[in-house]
Amino acid sequence: MNEQHNILSFGELLLRLSSAGETFLGEGNGVTVFPGGSEANVAASLGQWGLRCSYMSRIPDNELSKQVIQVLHKLGVDTTPCLLEGDRLGLYFLLSANGLSKGEVVYDRKYSALSQLEPGMIDWDSVLEGYTWFHWSALTPALNTALAEVCKEALVAAQRKGLTVSVDLNYRNKLWNYGKQPIEVMPDLLQYCDVVMGNIWAANKMLGTAVLETLGRDTPADVYFEHAAQSAREIFDLIPRCKHVAYTFRFMDSPTHNLLYGTYHDRESNFISTIHETNEVVDRIGSGDAFMAGLIYALIAGKPGQEIVDTATSAGFKKLFVKGDFGDGEI
């Protein structure tokens, strides 16, 4: 393991409220609360795996926030970069206990502390001092124009300081509601990225890469692999700086079923993981973030291409059996 790396993950810290019943309404259903947020999930995994990792968000200075960042601290994540400002944490409601159905997420993120960040409020040159790797996701510029500009500030500073930059192309259509489409915002931001992770459909939404409408649940893995390789080639052409692309393929046929595999691409080669399948899913939330963390871990470790995709996919698969948004300590 290359101990020289020091990673900063930046994004919105969220609270997840999960119903213990079919809905939040009615007596006796109960609600379970978990800390989460894509970038925090990545940091939680990296911290547990022993990498030097910090997490930065903007959160209110209250006891609830302190309890949440204490959880991250216990998992090995340095939370000192967090800005204790603003009035409220962002929330999301999961209308099931474990994310085992579709269309069940309701966001409550407007007017959160992070959503009210403005350009010029963070001295990114100072914040990034001492770090070698900066991680962010498409969820942040999805919230508003100001946050897209804040991301641009961070990325310019990261490039100036020579950091490796990774991004998760998380696409949530419920978040892009301020008059901009991802294709209008993301191409410029992605020019600063060395590592791009997501799926072929998110890449299409954010970069305009090709994806066939005929692809579906029954498309064989080898066909998806061919399309992933072509999509990655398009990304390499569009982003001269990019050196690594990874995609996940996740299919759910029932509440407890999940089929998961991944692909990894550099500018010379393409790799596909073992196909993982289970009918015993505990919690689907955060599996993509665990994949992202596994990808970072494998790249830092200098693993060869096949081991990179196998490590990332294994991490994503293991998360399916862990309650809450954060993964566990296995890699």
Side-chain angles (χ1 to χ4, degrees), residues 87-89 109-116:
D87 297 321
R88 64 180 294 257
L89 285 170
R109 301 172 69 163
K110 287 187 177 180
Y111 312 112
S112 66
L114 183 118
S115 73
Q116 295 183 310

Side-chain angles (χ1 to χ4, degrees), residues 18-32 97:
S18 300
S19 171
E22 292 300 319
T23 71
F24 277 90
L25 305 178
E27 295 183 8
N29 280 340
V31 174
T32 305

Side-chain angles (χ1 to χ4, degrees), residues 159 186-193 207 238-242:
Q159 183 182 66
M186 293 300 296
D188 178 47
L189 299 180
L190 289 171
Q191 294 303 314
Y192 299 87
C193 296
L207 280 168
L238 291 166
I239 309 174
R241 180 187 173 111
C242 183

Side-chain angles (χ1 to χ4, degrees), residues 10 17 44 70 114 116 138 144 150 155 191 205 209 225 233 245 252 255-256 278 287 304 327 329:
F10 168 70
L17 282 69
Q70 188 176 39
L114 183 118
Q116 295 183 310
N144 57 56
V150 170
L155 294 167
Q191 294 303 314
K205 287 284 187 182
T209 52
F225 185 33
R233 283 194 293 271
V245 174
M252 183 179 69
T256 57
T278 181
S287 64

Side-chain angles (χ1 to χ4, degrees), residues 9-14 37 39-40 55-60 65 81-91 108-119 121-122 124 134 136-148 150-151 175:
S9 187
F10 168 70
E12 182 160 29
L13 186 61
L14 298 171
E39 305 84 2
Y55 175 67
M56 181 181 183
S57 190
R58 185 174 189 258
I59 56 178
S65 295
C82 285
L83 306 173
L84 298 179
E85 303 169 350
D87 297 321
R88 64 180 294 257
L89 285 170
L91 308 174
D108 181 16
R109 301 172 69 163
K110 287 187 177 180
Y111 312 112
S112 66
L114 183 118
S115 73
Q116 295 183 310
L117 267 178
E118 296 284 344
M121 292 175 66
I122 297 175
W124 284 105
F134 179 71
W136 65 292
S137 90
L139 294 171
T140 303
L143 297 177
N144 57 56
T145 299
L147 280 177
V150 170
C151 288
L175 295 181

Side-chain angles (χ1 to χ4, degrees), residues 260-280:
L260 168 67
Y261 58 95
T263 65
Y264 166 71
H265 317 267
D266 59 28
R267 287 183 175 266
E268 289 77 39
S269 307
N270 305 285
F271 305 89
I272 185 169
S273 75
T274 300
I275 297 175
H276 298 265
E277 190 166 9
T278 181
N279 285 295
E280 300 178 354

Side-chain angles (χ1 to χ4, degrees), residues 12-314:
E12 182 160 29
L13 186 61
L14 298 171
L15 288 183
R16 161 183 155 187
L17 282 69
S18 300
S19 171
E22 292 300 319
T23 71
F24 277 90
L25 305 178
E27 295 183 8
N29 280 340
V31 174
T32 305
V33 181
F34 294 102
S38 177
E39 305 84 2
N41 297 344
V42 170
S45 289
L46 295 175
Q48 290 179 86
W49 299 337
L51 274 70
R52 292 179 63 198
C53 182
S54 300
Y55 175 67
M56 181 181 183
S57 190
R58 185 174 189 258
I59 56 178
D61 186 4
N62 60 37
E63 187 59 32
L64 181 59
S65 295
K66 291 174 183 176
Q67 288 189 22
V68 174
I69 61 175
Q70 188 176 39
V71 173
L72 281 167
H73 183 72
K74 289 180 178 178
L75 297 178
V77 179
D78 172 26
T79 57
T80 55
C82 285
L83 306 173
L84 298 179
E85 303 169 350
D87 297 321
R88 64 180 294 257
L89 285 170
L91 308 174
Y92 78 96
F93 298 86
L94 192 61
L95 305 184
S96 66
N98 44 22
L100 302 183
S101 59
K102 296 180 179 179
E104 77 287 346
V105 173
V106 177
Y107 292 106
D108 181 16
R109 301 172 69 163
K110 287 187 177 180
Y111 312 112
S112 66
L114 183 118
S115 73
Q116 295 183 310
L117 267 178
E118 296 284 344
M121 292 175 66
I122 297 175
D123 180 353
W124 284 105
D125 280 313
S126 295
V127 168
L128 294 174
E129 187 64 33
Y131 291 101
T132 63
W133 192 296
F134 179 71
H135 176 68
W136 65 292
S137 90
L139 294 171
T140 303
L143 297 177
N144 57 56
T145 299
L147 280 177
E149 294 173 5
V150 170
C151 288
K152 178 70 174 285
E153 289 180 331
L155 294 167
V156 169
Q159 183 182 66
R160 185 165 56 240
K161 298 176 78 66
L163 277 68
T164 298
V165 175
S166 59
V167 63
D168 187 339
L169 301 182
N170 280 311
Y171 175 66
R172 304 289 184 271
N173 64 340
K174 295 178 182 178
L175 295 181
W176 289 91
N177 57 16
Y178 62 94
K180 294 278 190 179
Q181 292 301 310
I183 194 70
E184 300 175 79
V185 176
M186 293 300 296
D188 178 47
L189 299 180
L190 289 171
Q191 294 303 314
Y192 299 87
C193 296
D194 303 275
V195 182
V196 175
M197 174 264 174
N199 61 53
I200 58 175
W201 298 278
N204 168 259
K205 287 284 187 182
M206 296 185 187
L207 280 168
T209 52
V211 63
L212 293 179
E213 295 182 3
T214 54
L215 299 174
R217 167 65 180 90
D218 296 324
T219 301
D222 59 340
V223 175
Y224 269 127
F225 185 33
E226 293 176 9
H227 284 278
Q230 175 58 38
S231 178
R233 283 194 293 271
E234 292 185 54
I235 287 181
F236 290 133
D237 288 341
L238 291 166
I239 309 174
R241 180 187 173 111
C242 183
K243 305 173 187 67
H244 312 276
V245 174
Y247 290 136
T248 58
F249 293 88
R250 293 182 282 175
F251 302 100
M252 183 179 69
D253 295 323
S254 71
T256 57
H257 173 268
N258 210 101
L259 185 149
L260 168 67
Y261 58 95
T263 65
Y264 166 71
H265 317 267
D266 59 28
R267 287 183 175 266
E268 289 77 39
S269 307
N270 305 285
F271 305 89
I272 185 169
S273 75
T274 300
I275 297 175
H276 298 265
E277 190 166 9
T278 181
N279 285 295
E280 300 178 354
V281 175
V282 173
D283 196 326
R284 296 180 67 243
I285 304 299
S287 64
D289 303 321
F291 181 102
M292 180 80 245
L295 176 64
I296 293 173
Y297 180 95
L299 289 172
I300 287 177
K303 293 179 181 290
Q306 189 61 52
E307 289 187 33
I308 288 172
V309 71
D310 287 339
T311 299
T313 306
S314 176

